[in-house]
Each structure stands twice: as C-alpha cells, then as structure tokens.
Amino acid sequence: MDNVIIAKDLSLSYSNNETIINKATFSISSGSFVFITGASGSGKSTLLKSLFGALNPKQGSLVVGGVELNGVSRSKLNFLRRHLGIVFQDYKLVKEWSIEKNIMLPLLINGYVKSVALNQVEKLLKHVRLNHQTGKYPFELSGGEQQRVAMARALAHNPILILADEPTGNLDEYSSQLIWNLLEGANNQLKTTVIVVTHHIPKSLNVDYKHFHIEYGSIHEVR
Amino acid sequence: MKSVKNHLSLVVALLSILFSMQVFFIVERSIDAYKVNLSNNYSVIAVSKKELSSDEFKGINKIISNAEELSPDSVIKRLTSDMKSTNVELLKLTLPKFYKLSLTYYPTPQEIKKLRSDLLGSGSITKVEDFSHNHDTVYKLLLLFKKVVALFAIVVLIVTVLLIFKELRIWQYKHNERMTIMGLFGAALWLRSAVLFRLAIVDALVASFLAFGVFMYLSSSAWVAEQFNNIGINVLIFNPIEDFLIILGVAITISILLASLIVLGHKEEA
Ligand SMILES: Nc1ncnc2c1ncn2[C@@H]1O[C@H](COP(=O)(O)OP(=O)(O)O)[C@@H](O)[C@H]1O
Ligand SMILES: [Mg+2]
C-alpha cells in the first residue's frame, strides 16, 4: 500500500522558533484511519496544520499525497488542497453563505458543473441529516448542525485524505455519533484516509485504526 | 437588507468623489463660457497712422478677431464748431485712425502684453490702449475662483479616500475570513477574490448610474438653467455620453484599485 503521508525528521515551529514537533519520522498508509492524541498544547493542531500546508516545516521533509510540503509553491499547494477534506473544531463556515453554498465550495473550486454540484449537495444534506434545514445560514444552526455542514463540505468532493481537528470537541451526543459514523463510512466504503485529532477515541468504532500520541514534541505510534 | 448595507458605504464614497469631480468640470466649463462672455465685452483700442484692414490686424496677432474703425466725427465736431467744411475734410485726412479690436477669446495678461508689442512693432500703429489694469483684476478673480473650487474638490477627494480606507479595514476583515476558508480548500487567488471584484464592480456601476440620474436631472432643471442665465452664460452641465464614460471609468478604476488593495493585503492565518 502507498503511503499518503511520509514525514522524515520533521520539525515544526512558529515564528517565535519554539520547537513544537521535534524531528518526527512517521508514515501513514493510504486508506488507514488514524487517531492523534496528546495533552492540550502538545502540538496536535500544529501537526495537522502542517499536513494541509498552513505551516511550513521548519526542517525535514513532509510529503502529502505525493507533494513535498517543505517550501511548496502556492499553486502546488492549491492543487493538493483540492483533494483534501478538512474539518475544524470551530467549523470555519462562510458566514454570509447558505449551508448549501458552504457545502458546494469544494465542488465549485474543483470545477464541477452546477447541476452535478447541486445534486451532490442534496445527497450530502440527507447524509448529514440536515435536509430539513435547506436555505439556512450557519448562524441559524446549532454547533452540532454547523459541524455536520462542515463534515458534508469535507466529504463533498471525495477527498483522498480527511483531516479533522477535534471534530466532536464540543458537540451534542447525536451530532458526535453522526460525525464518527460519517468518518467511518468514508474510510470503510471509499477507502479515504482519515486522520482525526481527538481527546477520546470512541469505543463503538467499527474500523481498524492506528493511534499516534504526541508528547514533548515527539510522535509515538501507540497502536 | 444586509446586502444593501454591504454596498452602501462604497457607493456613497464613490458618489461623493464623482460629484466633486463633475462639479469641478461644471465650474471649469462655466469659467470658459464666462471668458467668452468677457472677451465679447473686452476690446483694445489701437491708433494707427495709416488705414489698416481687419485682415491686416489679424496678420499682426491671431488673437484679434475683428477690427472696427472708430469714427472721428464726434471728436472733430467739438473741435471744429467754427471751421470751414473744407478745412474739416483736410483735418480728417491728417488725423490718425482709431480702431476698436475685438478678440477671439479672453486673453491672459501675458497674451495682452504680447498683443501690445506685436501691434506697436507692426510699423504704422503708434498707440495701444489695452485697459490692462481692469483686465487683470477680472482675470485674477477668475483664477482665484477656479483655484478655490479645485481646492474644494481635492479636500473632498482626500476626505473620501480616508473614509474609504477606514471602510477598507472592515472589508479586509470581512473578506479575509471567506478568502482564508476558500484558500483552505485550494481556491486559486482569482477565485478567492472574485466575489470581492464583483462587489466592487457592481458598486461602481450603481454609483455611476446614480450620478448619471442626478446630473441628467440637474441638466434638465429649469432652476439650474436660470442660475446660469442670470450670469449670462450657457454651460453644458452634463454630457450624457462623454461625461458618463469619464464617471464610469473613474468609479470602476477606484473600486478595482480598492479591491486589489484588499486582495494584496490578504493574510492567511496559520
Ligand atoms: N499561531 C501560533 N503562533 C505561535 N504559537 C502557537 C500558535 N498556535 C499554537 N501555538 C503554540 O504551539 C503549541 C501547540 O499548540 P497546538 O498545536 O494548538 O496544541 P494542541 O495540541 O492543543 O492542538 C502551544 O504551545 C501553542 O501555544
Ligand atoms: Mg488543537
């Protein structure tokens, strides 16, 4: 199996040069389901940011989907991101857009025909159990519902890799369960690689997962 | 309602720029029209030893549009109440010729100086009265008026640009979020900024058409026409084609410039 992510001696830090991740080497094979855990402030979000190119590696090599991210050009990064589905703890929905338009964003960027995109959005809305909320704006929805919109957006364009940063961090039970089911489904049925940062690994998950733990700037494979 | 508010600030700012610009044009046209008016009432008196035709005068300086010989009869009548008529005829022949020169446009003081030296250097002309003191006062007044209006327009421009820049920060914040999110999903720069440019162009069009409506109304208003008639000039307030194209061009240029500034100032948060 191919590796969708290969990190070699990867070091990460922000502009203040404090090392967050120190010379980490790991790889993630295509189609796997990966949990990343660690104490608050240990660098989970930082690692995830580096995976979608929002933070350039300080040192070492980081290849995602065949693209070397250390010193990557903007156009190559855009190309990679069009094949990623990212879910954030704070949803990052576009406020002034309806939920349909938000879900459609990756389809729009990937150049889908309008009618195909609309069809896809309708399916996704059913998928995340929001078909009764059509035409609404993010601020009219609960946190759990907003995260389901974000989840639908992340799945819309059949990404090769889903990156989720504490997607169920502060959600209601129903929404959390739904999000886990959707991530599980994408991994089981579409063989999408899923990487989730979380504090609690759900017990009822029906996937064979890997588990990395971050501590003192190092990444250990727990399972 | 929200979308109206989104547009309002830029439209109002653009409108005030377009207004001060067009008012400046109108003032400039009024001054030009007034200058024609003045030149109709302004003339130079030249005294010549021999007879000169209108064309000969035009040859001396192009600014001269017409020369009219002043009849010496009234002067002679007073001098010659008890002279024999044959002597009067003789006197008439020896008297120099007086000409009233009309000019094609209202000259600058430099042009008057040049006209004067051209006339005196032409040979037969011995004396020129250009009423230059009078002329200078009126001319300086006109220039002052024009400067005041230009200053006013520039102040409006500066204040508006400052207002726009304040608004720009709010915009930058507002658009930054959407542009960042679009960037996270791999949207190229042109796609990320498309919404912004569309908004800017729509606002420019709205402001231009509003200005068009207002100036069309003003140029057909009887009250406005009367004000200009009162000072005896006829001014084109608004040319629906040329002026509108200028307004449209300025509005679109400014709003695209602003949108570009926002795009260039866009920072993605890591
Ligand atoms: N934008 C930033 N600039 C500087 N330091 C940051 C930034 N974001 C996070 N950090 C720091 O990096 C460390 C790891 O943060 P983060 O990756 O967010 O932790 P978490 O594991 O809780 O997600 C923390 O010490 C945090 O203060
Ligand atoms: Mg975090």
Side-chain angles (χ1 to χ4, degrees), chain B residues 18-152:
Chain B
L18 297 179
F19 261 69
S20 55
M21 186 181 78
Q22 187 65 21
V23 165
F24 181 71
F25 286 161
I26 293 172
V27 166
E28 206 167 50
R29 279 175 201 159
S30 306
I31 287 173
D32 285 344
Y34 197 65
K35 273 196 204 169
V36 171
N37 221 0
L38 282 175
S39 79
N40 291 340
N41 296 326
Y42 176 78
S43 51
V44 171
I45 304 292
V47 182
S48 172
K49 285 181 288 194
K50 63 177 195 141
E51 198 166 331
L52 287 169
S53 72
S54 222
D55 285 339
E56 282 171 299
F57 271 110
K58 282 180 202 168
I60 293 171
N61 189 313
K62 284 197 293 288
I63 197 172
I64 298 168
S65 67
N66 191 39
E68 183 192 336
E69 191 180 344
L70 298 172
S71 159
D73 289 352
S74 59
V75 185
I76 290 168
K77 214 176 263 166
R78 265 191 279 148
L79 291 171
T80 60
S81 47
D82 44 21
M83 245 185 221
K84 270 189 213 151
S85 65
T86 47
N87 288 349
V88 171
E89 287 308 310
L90 211 65
L91 180 65
K92 263 191 189 174
L93 281 175
T94 57
L95 267 181
K97 306 279 182 200
F98 290 80
Y99 291 97
K100 180 179 157 196
L101 307 179
S102 309
L103 306 182
T104 46
Y105 60 90
Y106 198 64
T108 65
Q110 288 80 356
E111 282 171 320
I112 292 190
K113 250 189 206 152
K114 170 118 184 357
L115 173 65
R116 184 189 180 85
S117 66
D118 284 352
L119 286 169
L120 291 175
S122 72
S124 57
I125 293 165
T126 55
K127 198 166 163 35
V128 173
E129 176 51 75
D130 54 23
F131 309 102
S132 60
H133 180 69
N134 230 343
H135 166 275
D136 275 8
T137 314
V138 175
Y139 195 79
K140 278 177 186 156
L141 215 60
L142 271 184
L143 284 184
L144 181 70
F145 184 53
K146 196 168 154 176
K147 270 183 198 154
V148 168
V149 172
L151 197 72
F152 172 76

